[in-house]
Amino acid sequence: MTAQTTAVVSPAAPSVLPAVRRGGLAAVLGLTGTLLVLLVMASLPYVVDNGVTTQLVKLCYLIALASMWNLLAGYAGMVSMGQQAFIGLGAYTLFVVNDHGINVYAGTLVVSAVVALIAWPVSYIAFRLRGGYFAVGTWVIAEVVRLIVVRFDSLGAASGRNITTITAEPVLRQAYTYWLALAVMAAALLGTYLALRSRLGLDLQAIRDDETAAGSLGVNVTRGKRIIYIAAAGGCAAAGAVICVNSLGVASPSQIFGVQYTALMIFMVVIGGIGTVEGPVIGALVYFLLDKYFAQSGVWYLVVIGAAAIAVSLYLPRGLWGTLAHRTGFAIFPVTHKVLQTTRRDEA
């Protein structure tokens, strides 16, 4: 005799939907505080001498570069070793647009858009690789780009090139350069924050955690990664243009296309906290201070940089800001979602 089990179906319980809040008061305060800081920084050329703003130009483009690499690796899971390709392209494309009569300051926006367009077909090559092969492949792409650029005599070939069309007085030129760097930094930070608060941000974090699972849930993995790859290329190109304007040109193609830029990005993101909007800012500030006070110390400079990286990796693997955020839940740029309560579907 076979026992049979009868499933008793109870009346369907009303479905519930979670009420979700993103950021709330913390987001408002974070954005308000950030805007106030940016306004104060924008007024600095009127109240401090050129020496201060000259140093801050470097801090601004370091933050922009670190934010772009964090967007790639920290949120999309793409560990690139070749972002210097787009930094160098940004600097050299600025020469091209300037030769066509576009001011170098306004030309930075054009440069960012042009290099982003170049990154689109490049992504089809890079995305054929995965993991460590992707990292090595992006570095190879950067070297190929450098070899192509140095073949053009109009761009200075292997000797580099200077910007000769800036006619503004030195004081005014430095102020314009500082405001340009500040604008690029602000765009990188706020653009990253807004992207992460969108549907794309959710897709990116799912892709970072598990591409296969994200794809099975309907996330267009390739599309999301390509958008971020192109956006990061445009951001790095804008930073490259700032470097070029600040130095009044490119002294050496090997320097502007050097892998040291990507190494700096990785250092700043690891120190500050990968996968957080605030981490690259903290990491860039730490590197900026170390470079300012120890750069003239010869070999001890490298010792201090290495010791800082080792200490953070061993004792604070989440990074400085990442550890603080994990322990306290505090965030200046909150991108997480909080479930407040449940709501009946028929009431929603």
Side-chain angles (χ1 to χ4, degrees):
M1 193 172 175
T2 305
Q4 295 182 348
T5 302
T6 302
V8 179
V9 180
S10 58
S15 301
V16 294
L17 291 173
V20 178
R21 184 181 69 186
R22 294 185 302 169
L25 181 61
V28 174
L29 293 177
L31 284 177
T32 302
T34 300
L35 292 176
L36 289 175
V37 171
L38 291 175
L39 287 174
V40 171
M41 292 184 69
S43 67
L44 288 181
Y46 298 103
V47 296
V48 300
D49 58 42
N50 280 352
V52 175
T53 54
T54 300
Q55 294 180 11
L56 289 180
V57 167
K58 182 175 183 177
L59 176 62
C60 288
Y61 72 68
L62 285 175
I63 291 175
L65 289 175
S67 297
M68 292 301 96
W69 196 86
N70 182 56
L71 191 60
L72 277 172
Y75 287 101
M78 293 183 285
V79 180
S80 171
M81 292 297 295
Q83 291 309 105
Q84 65 271 16
F86 305 115
I87 297 173
L89 278 176
Y92 277 95
T93 304
L94 187 65
F95 293 133
V96 176
V97 299
N98 186 235
D99 289 344
H100 285 79
I102 301 178
N103 182 278
V104 292
Y105 302 105
T108 298
L109 181 61
V110 179
V111 164
S112 181
V114 170
V115 174
L117 287 175
I118 295 173
W120 176 60
V122 171
S123 68
Y124 284 90
I125 300 174
F127 286 5
R128 296 180 66 86
L129 305 171
R130 291 289 185 273
Y133 294 103
F134 175 83
V136 174
T138 53
W139 174 74
V140 172
I141 290 172
E143 286 298 299
V144 171
V145 170
R146 181 184 65 83
L147 292 174
I148 293 174
V149 167
V150 298
R151 294 182 64 85
F152 290 89
D153 293 333
S154 61
L155 297 178
S159 302
R161 180 180 160 178
N162 295 328
I163 297 177
T164 58
T165 57
I166 300 180
T167 58
E169 296 180 356
V171 174
L172 192 58
R173 179 186 64 80
Q174 184 55 44
Y176 286 158
T177 303
Y178 170 70
W179 285 324
L180 174 65
L182 185 63
V184 169
M185 180 193 73
L189 283 176
L190 297 179
T192 297
Y193 177 57
L194 294 176
L196 294 177
R197 284 178 59 83
S198 67
R199 172 62 184 269
L200 176 62
L202 293 176
D203 291 348
L204 291 177
Q205 294 177 68
I207 293 170
R208 175 193 61 190
D209 294 339
D210 192 319
E211 282 191 25
T212 303
S216 68
L217 293 174
V219 175
N220 191 327
V221 175
T222 302
R223 174 180 173 272
K225 292 173 68 173
R226 180 164 287 118
I227 290 174
I228 293 305
Y229 185 83
I230 293 172
C236 288
V242 171
I243 295 170
C244 182
V245 173
N246 190 51
S247 304
L248 290 179
V250 173
S252 167
S254 299
Q255 191 275 332
I256 198 67
F257 283 103
V259 73
Q260 73 272 7
Y261 279 114
T262 296
L264 286 180
M265 295 184 216
I266 297 173
F267 174 83
M268 292 183 290
V269 172
V270 169
I271 290 291
I274 192 170
T276 64
V277 180
E278 303 89 347
V281 179
I282 301 301
L285 184 59
V286 169
Y287 173 76
F288 175 77
L289 294 175
L290 290 175
D291 183 70
K292 178 179 175 60
Y293 293 106
F294 293 97
Q296 305 302 322
S297 301
V299 69
W300 287 107
Y301 169 65
L302 300 177
V303 171
V304 171
I305 292 291
I310 293 172
V312 171
S313 299
L314 289 177
Y315 301 105
L316 299 172
R318 297 177 184 270
L320 298 175
W321 183 268
T323 301
L324 175 66
H326 178 71
R327 293 178 179 177
T328 65
F330 177 73
I332 298 175
F333 299 102
V335 295
T336 56
H337 296 66
K338 295 182 180 180
V339 179
L340 302 180
Q341 60 183 10
T342 56
T343 304
R344 291 180 181 274
R345 186 181 297 274
D346 52 10
E347 295 177 354

